[in-house]
Structure formats: C-alpha cells, structure tokens
C-alpha cells in the first residue's frame, strides 16, 4: 500500500483520521509527521502526517531481498510461498548460480540477513527459509544419502568418520538422518564457522582421530613419502638434475656398488685425490 497524507488541526487528529480511513490500527501503521500543527498571528498551519500500512514480516523480508539483489546487479524476483508458522521465500532468477553460490553459501547468507529483517521488533522468533530453484530440497536429499554412506563406512571400518565443516542447517539434516541409525551416533565438534559432524560407530576407540571424508591418501610408498621419479637423463619430474655419488670425480663402474661411510663428514666417503696429497 502506498503512503497517504492526512491533515487536521493537530497531529493526533490527523493520525486518527488517517487510521480510520485506512482501516488499520496504530501498531499496523507507519507514521511520518510532515508538519506540526501550530497557530499563527493570522490564522493557523494544519498538521500533516504521512501514513502507510506496515507490510507483513514476510513482505518486509522479501522487500529486503529484492533490494539486495538489485544492489548485486542480479535480475530476480521474490515470491512469498508461506508465512504461517514459518516464512518461506522463493527467489526466481535466470542467474541461479550467482544466488545460490558454492554449496549454497550465498543463499545461506541471504537467508540469515532476511531472517534478521523479518524478526525485527518481534517477541517470538519466526524461522525464515529462502530458496532458489528448489536447491534446499535437492541439497537435503544429497545430505541424507551422504549420511547413510558414511554411517556404513564407519561401521565397516570401526572408526569414526569426520565430515567437512557445515552450517547449522546442514548439520541438523545429518543428525536427523542418523538419529535412529543402529550402531552409530553423531556428534558436532569444533568451533564455528569450522564446526563439523563426526559419525562414530559402536566400539570406536576414544583416541581415534577419525577418517576425514574425501581426504586423499598420500601418494608414494607405504611410509607416506612421495616416490621420486627420474627421467633417462637423471633428472626428476620437476626438471632438476639428481646428483649421483661420485668417486674421484668420475662415475662408478657399472655393475659395482659403491659403499660410502660417514655421509655427514664432508668428503670422507670419496677416494683421496693424488694431486692433493
């Protein structure tokens, strides 16, 4: 509803006149006093007020999102899908990837601020969910499948499995998905914003550091050291030449092994040079 201006002898009379005309209560109206009523030597100046009906909490949040997306130069429209128990706002845009962001980080940020806007002045908090292109539902299904997969892995290995950091909304989905899962439990560990979930099987050792999901094993030999690969010229893959041990400045004869002692004592492993004796 657009603003309307009302005039009367006093501000109170102008406000009362405006509330009656708009059919709203004082709590439902946004009032701006444009002119205080006052008497002059010759005549008087009437009071002037501007009155607008307040939008709902959901509409206030939707208007905020519209303004934010305009600042971000993203062409989009918002639609209030629900505003009963919870507020649900849908963002419709051809640039959904910009609105959603990596793993929903941009969408989560928009939702967080929109929640603060919608709950301004409220005594009881009302949950606000902002979605785009059905991302929330798809992400929830993905997390439920992931939770089942990791629970099976934890039981199979007998070790706890650590997930990557997640926001509270996604952690709740994992906790809920495995709440009735036999032989495993879930706990949240770490501090925000790097708080994560650990899936712990029955019988897991208390000092087990856990398996980080998605972490690649170190390449190379069993000791974890990377294998050094050499080309035919003796250089490694980085292009650096590998210096081979020498004997008297020359190469050791093929087929013979050269045993060198005292590798950390200068040139004690080299044969004496007769020119320097």
């Amino acid at each position: 509803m657009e603003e309307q201006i009302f005039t009367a002898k006093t501000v109170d009379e102008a406000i009362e006149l405006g509330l009656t005309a708009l059919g709203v209560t004082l709590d439902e109206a946004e009032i701006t006093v444009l002119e205080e009523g006052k008497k002059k030597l010759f005549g008087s100046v009437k009071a002037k007020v501007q009155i607008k009906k307040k939008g709902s909490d959901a509409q206030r949040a939707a208007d905020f999102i519209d303004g934010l997306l305009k600042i971000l130069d993203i062409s989009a429209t918002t639609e209030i899908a629900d505003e009963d128990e919870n507020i649900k706002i849908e963002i419709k845009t051809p640039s959904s990837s910009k609105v959603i962001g990596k793993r929903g980080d941009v969408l989560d940020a928009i939702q967080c601020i929109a929640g603060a806007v919608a709950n301004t002045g409220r005594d009881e908090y009302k949950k606000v969910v902002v979605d785009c292109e059905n991302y929330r539902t798809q992400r929830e299904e993905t997390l439920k499948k992931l939770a089942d997969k990791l629970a099976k892995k934890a039981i199979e290995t007998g070790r706890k499995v650590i997930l990557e950091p997640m926001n509270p909304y996604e952690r709740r989905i994992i906790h809920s998905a495995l709440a009735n899962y036999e032989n495993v439990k879930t706990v949240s560990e770490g501090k925000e914003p790097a708080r994560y979930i650990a899936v712990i099987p029955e019988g897991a050792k208390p000092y087990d550091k856990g398996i980080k999901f998605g972490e690649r094993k170190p390449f190379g030999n069993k000791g974890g050291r990377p294998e050094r690969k050499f080309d035919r010229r003796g250089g490694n893959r980085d292009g650096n030449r590998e210096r081979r041990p020498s004997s008297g400045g020359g190469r050791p004869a093929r087929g013979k092994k050269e045993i060198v002692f005292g590798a950390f004592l200068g040139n004690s492993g080299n044969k004496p040079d007769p020119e320097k004796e």
Side-chain angles (χ1 to χ4, degrees):
M1 180 182 292
E2 295 183 356
E3 302 90 345
Q4 294 190 38
I5 297 175
F6 300 89
T7 58
K9 290 182 178 180
T10 65
V11 170
D12 290 339
E13 289 179 0
I15 291 174
E16 186 177 354
L17 180 65
L19 295 178
T20 302
L22 296 177
V24 296
T25 65
L26 187 61
D27 293 335
E28 297 172 338
E30 293 181 4
I31 301 172
T32 304
V33 178
L34 303 178
E35 185 72 48
E36 296 278 357
K38 57 183 178 180
K39 293 182 179 181
K40 288 187 175 182
L41 183 60
F42 300 100
S44 62
V45 176
K46 290 187 176 182
K48 184 185 295 184
V49 297
Q50 180 178 276
I51 301 178
K52 177 184 177 182
K53 183 178 179 180
K54 288 182 180 178
S56 64
D57 298 329
Q59 188 60 55
R60 193 164 64 249
D63 290 343
F64 164 78
I65 295 173
D66 286 334
L68 178 61
L69 294 175
K70 187 176 181 179
I71 293 173
L72 296 174
D73 197 24
I74 298 176
S75 177
T77 58
T78 56
E79 180 180 310
I80 300 174
D82 187 16
E83 55 180 320
D84 295 330
E85 293 184 3
N86 298 319
I87 296 173
K88 186 173 182 181
I89 300 173
E90 297 279 351
I91 300 177
K92 299 185 181 298
T93 174
S95 306
S96 58
S97 60
K98 292 182 180 180
V99 174
I100 296 172
K102 183 179 180 182
R103 297 183 183 176
D105 55 354
V106 175
L107 192 63
D108 289 341
I110 295 174
Q111 177 176 285
C112 180
I113 305 175
V117 171
N119 285 280
T120 300
R122 289 182 55 87
D123 294 329
E124 296 182 2
Y125 185 82
K126 199 167 189 178
K127 184 179 178 182
V128 177
V129 177
V130 180
D131 202 359
C132 179
E133 302 294 335
N134 205 31
Y135 170 81
R136 299 290 183 195
T137 301
Q138 295 174 7
R139 179 64 173 164
E140 184 173 345
E141 290 301 317
T142 299
L143 290 174
K144 286 180 179 179
K145 292 178 181 179
L146 176 65
D148 181 71
K149 177 181 178 180
L150 298 185
K152 292 177 179 177
K153 182 178 182 67
I155 294 173
E156 180 183 352
T157 60
R159 299 185 62 189
K160 76 175 181 180
V161 180
I162 298 172
L163 283 74
E164 63 185 7
M166 294 180 177
N167 59 47
Y169 170 76
E170 294 189 340
R171 292 200 304 269
R172 282 194 294 270
I173 294 175
I174 299 291
H175 285 307
S176 177
L178 299 181
N180 299 320
Y181 207 101
E182 296 183 357
N183 303 321
V184 297
K185 67 177 182 179
T186 59
V187 296
S188 291
E189 299 178 346
K191 296 181 179 181
E192 297 290 2
R195 196 161 172 78
Y196 58 89
I197 285 181
V199 182
I200 306 175
E202 287 184 357
K205 297 179 181 180
Y207 53 82
D208 180 17
K209 293 183 178 180
I211 304 171
K212 291 184 179 180
F213 175 72
E215 183 179 47
R216 295 183 178 181
K217 295 181 180 180
F219 62 91
N221 54 28
K222 294 182 179 179
R225 297 179 180 177
E227 289 182 311
R228 305 191 72 177
K229 303 289 186 178
F230 300 96
D231 58 24
R232 293 180 180 178
R233 297 176 297 173
N236 56 29
R237 286 182 174 178
D238 296 328
N240 299 322
R241 299 286 294 178
E242 181 69 12
R243 183 174 295 176
R244 299 180 180 179
S246 61
S247 175
R251 295 188 177 184
R254 291 188 178 183
K256 294 183 179 181
K257 293 183 179 180
E258 185 180 44
I259 302 175
V260 180
F261 296 96
F264 297 97
L265 299 178
N267 62 354
S268 59
N270 295 331
K271 293 182 181 180
D273 188 345
E275 297 181 0
K276 296 181 180 180
E277 287 295 326

